[in-house]
Amino acid sequence: MNKCDRQILKIALPAIVTNITVPLLGLVDTAIVGHMGDAAYIGAIAVGSMIFNLVYWVFAFLRMGTSGMTAQAWGRRDVKEVLRLLMRSMMVSSSISLILLILQYPLRELILWFIGPSADVRLLATTYYNIVIWGAPAMLGLYSMSGWFIGMQNTRIPMFISIMQNVANIMVSLWLVYGLDMKVEGVALGTVIAQYAGLFVAIGMWMCYYRRLLRQDISFMKDSLVDWLAFFRVNRDIFLRTLFLVAVNLYFTSAGARQGAVILAVNTLLMQLFLFFSYFTDGFAYAGEALGGKYWGARNWSAFREVVNCLFVWGGIMVLLFTTVYVIGGMPFLRLLTDEPQVVEASRDYVWWAYLIPLAGVVAFVWDGIFIGITATRGMLLSSCIAAVVFFVGCISLIGVLGNHGLWLSMILYLAVRGIVQTIIYSRTYSMKP
């Protein structure tokens, strides 16, 4: 294993662990309310988790934009800019959090109107939302800090924070629910406490490992309008790109729901295979953000190209590994998730689409990391826009003819087109560096 591979794995492996632990926060909440004796509790947590997953996904640019720009500044050894980037990102995350808190009630009503839960679920989901929304400053602050840590080539701290959050969430939620009989309120409060615990641990670890940076003169009076415009340009592109991703995923879910409960269940289960692959591949995308950004900022083009080549080799390994696992264990895994005979039987007709996910998606995932690292965010936006158009045109043209197969074909084309467009953009714009 060469130096480049070791550098990639040093960043990718902790990031993979972090990605795998993130969904556990929602699973823990679901498991706790699942023993309260009323299905409405499960529905409320599902709706509440969906709301916050959607809201926080939209603002994920705080993490991605911060990591790429920080990695480049670190590659240039511009320590003052490294620290200013963290401060800018934290200021933006705090401002967005304040807006979310001010607009929490109209936002809640709009999303609940869109989802349309039953009256009992809506009441409990409202209770959950009214508490968890106060965790927004912690979550968005963690996005900024996690992106900064990744840009500094350190994915171990985000991994530790993620694990700690899950432990805190489990312990506090169990105590509040079963010790103090707080039900949904206890689950929500446990989530918020875990979020702030994560933020405070992140600040504490920053002080332990990076306090020396405070010796730098970082007066914001020295920040120019150009610096702020560059910061907002990168984050604007990522934000708009994320909206395309959200639109595709929401439509995919709704198009499946219109085909009946069984098809919706099948698609939901198959998407777990997609998410599982993305958790692993995103770890290598994080390596692309950190290492690609560092070498790009340092103008070390040979090292940068070596990182790109190594990342695609690892991407190919992931494709072979996951395709093999899905072909051999796809149906057994689905049967593990559900014992509903109709869903299991219907899954046999569609599971082979999951076999194509790794091959169709790997190029886009790897390029996403590299493009974030070099802040080629306009290319990410353009590729997502074109791919989304292909997806919606495919859905309109194919679902009426092929049914759910048409929906999955559109999704596979969407993943593939993203990667193809990014490859073209890179080859024409960024591969010619000396």
Side-chain angles (χ1 to χ4, degrees):
M1 186 178 295
N2 60 31
K3 178 182 177 182
C4 182
D5 289 326
R6 289 194 298 271
Q7 289 179 317
I8 288 173
L9 291 179
K10 183 179 179 181
I11 294 172
L13 293 180
I16 290 170
V17 174
T18 302
N19 289 341
I20 293 174
T21 58
V22 166
L24 291 180
L25 283 170
L27 290 176
V28 168
D29 290 348
T30 302
I32 292 174
V33 300
H35 295 85
M36 290 183 179
D38 191 337
Y41 289 119
I42 299 176
I45 296 300
V47 170
S49 298
M50 181 190 304
I51 291 173
F52 288 105
N53 287 341
L54 179 62
V55 170
Y56 293 143
W57 190 13
V58 168
F59 296 116
F61 65 82
L62 289 167
R63 187 205 65 75
M64 291 184 281
T66 303
S67 68
M69 288 183 282
T70 301
Q72 290 189 33
W74 184 243
R76 297 191 303 269
R77 290 296 184 263
D78 188 348
V79 180
K80 292 182 180 180
E81 180 63 10
V82 163
L83 196 50
R84 285 199 186 100
L85 282 165
L86 176 59
M87 297 303 178
R88 287 183 204 129
S89 187
M90 291 296 287
M91 288 178 65
V92 173
S93 68
S94 298
S95 300
I96 293 173
S97 299
L98 180 61
I99 293 172
L100 288 176
L101 293 176
I102 293 173
L103 300 178
Q104 60 179 286
Y105 296 113
L107 178 64
R108 182 194 68 197
E109 294 305 308
L110 176 63
I111 298 179
L112 287 176
W113 170 81
F114 179 78
I115 297 174
S118 60
D120 54 345
V121 170
R122 181 189 178 94
L123 180 63
L124 293 171
T126 298
T127 300
Y128 180 87
Y129 173 96
N130 289 345
I131 296 172
V132 176
I133 188 64
W134 292 95
M139 282 300 296
L140 297 184
L142 274 172
Y143 276 2
S144 294
M145 296 198 72
S146 295
W148 190 86
F149 285 134
I150 293 169
M152 295 294 286
Q153 322 295 299
N154 189 338
T155 54
R156 296 184 303 279
I157 291 179
M159 177 187 70
F160 176 81
I161 293 169
S162 183
I163 294 172
M164 185 281 305
Q165 275 188 292
N166 280 282
V167 173
N169 189 42
I170 293 171
M171 295 177 63
V172 175
S173 295
L174 287 173
W175 175 62
L176 293 173
V177 171
Y178 295 108
L180 302 182
D181 196 30
M182 293 182 66
K183 298 192 181 297
V184 168
E185 296 89 341
V187 173
L189 189 57
T191 298
V192 173
I193 291 173
Q195 290 168 344
Y196 278 100
L199 178 62
F200 293 145
V201 169
I203 294 171
M205 298 192 77
W206 189 94
M207 292 299 293
C208 287
Y209 290 95
Y210 300 102
R211 182 173 51 193
R212 67 186 185 279
L213 297 181
L214 293 175
R215 300 170 188 167
Q216 302 293 323
D217 177 12
I218 58 162
S219 170
F220 276 93
M221 297 301 292
K222 296 183 178 180
D223 270 15
S224 68
L225 179 61
V226 173
D227 294 328
W228 277 100
L229 288 176
F231 185 84
F232 282 115
R233 177 188 60 78
V234 168
N235 287 297
R236 176 204 62 201
D237 291 344
I238 297 175
F239 172 75
L240 294 175
R241 171 254 190 189
T242 303
L243 291 182
F244 284 113
L245 269 61
V246 169
V248 168
N249 280 273
L250 286 178
Y251 188 85
F252 181 87
T253 301
S254 64
R258 286 195 294 271
Q259 299 179 69
V262 172
I263 293 299
L264 175 61
V266 169
N267 288 352
T268 301
L269 294 178
L270 291 180
M271 284 302 288
Q272 301 308 306
L273 298 177
F274 171 82
L275 292 174
F276 193 55
F277 173 71
S278 71
Y279 293 152
F280 277 78
T281 312
D282 274 349
F284 293 96
Y286 284 11
E289 295 177 28
L291 294 172
K294 182 179 76 171
Y295 290 129
W296 187 269
R299 304 179 69 82
N300 187 341
W301 310 125
S302 61
F304 171 77
R305 282 192 290 268
E306 184 181 11
V307 167
V308 172
N309 293 335
C310 288
L311 284 172
F312 275 101
V313 170
W314 281 106
I317 293 172
M318 291 296 102
V319 170
L320 292 175
L321 174 63
F322 276 89
T323 302
T324 302
V325 169
Y326 288 171
V327 170
I328 296 173
M331 282 306 301
F333 177 74
L334 295 179
R335 284 193 292 267
L336 183 66
L337 294 178
T338 181
D339 57 1
E340 177 61 41
Q342 276 187 297
V343 176
V344 172
E345 188 60 32
S347 297
R348 297 182 186 278
D349 294 332
Y350 301 103
V351 68
W352 59 273
W353 286 109
Y355 305 161
L356 300 177
I357 288 173
L359 181 61
V362 67
V363 175
F365 289 159
V366 173
W367 279 133
D368 277 351
I370 295 168
F371 275 39
I372 290 170
I374 65 177
T375 56
T377 51
R378 184 58 54 87
M380 293 175 62
L381 172 58
L382 180 61
S383 65
S384 296
C385 176
I386 294 173
V389 170
V390 170
F391 172 79
F392 287 113
V393 170
C395 288
I396 294 170
S397 306
L398 299 173
I399 292 178
V401 179
L402 301 176
N404 199 46
H405 289 294
L407 178 60
W408 272 101
L409 176 57
S410 300
M411 175 59 76
I412 294 298
L413 287 173
Y414 161 77
L415 294 172
V417 168
R418 274 177 58 196
I420 291 170
V421 173
Q422 285 173 302
T423 301
I424 294 172
I425 292 172
Y426 176 83
S427 63
R428 291 183 174 180
T429 308
Y430 302 104
S431 65
M432 304 306 291
K433 293 292 182 180

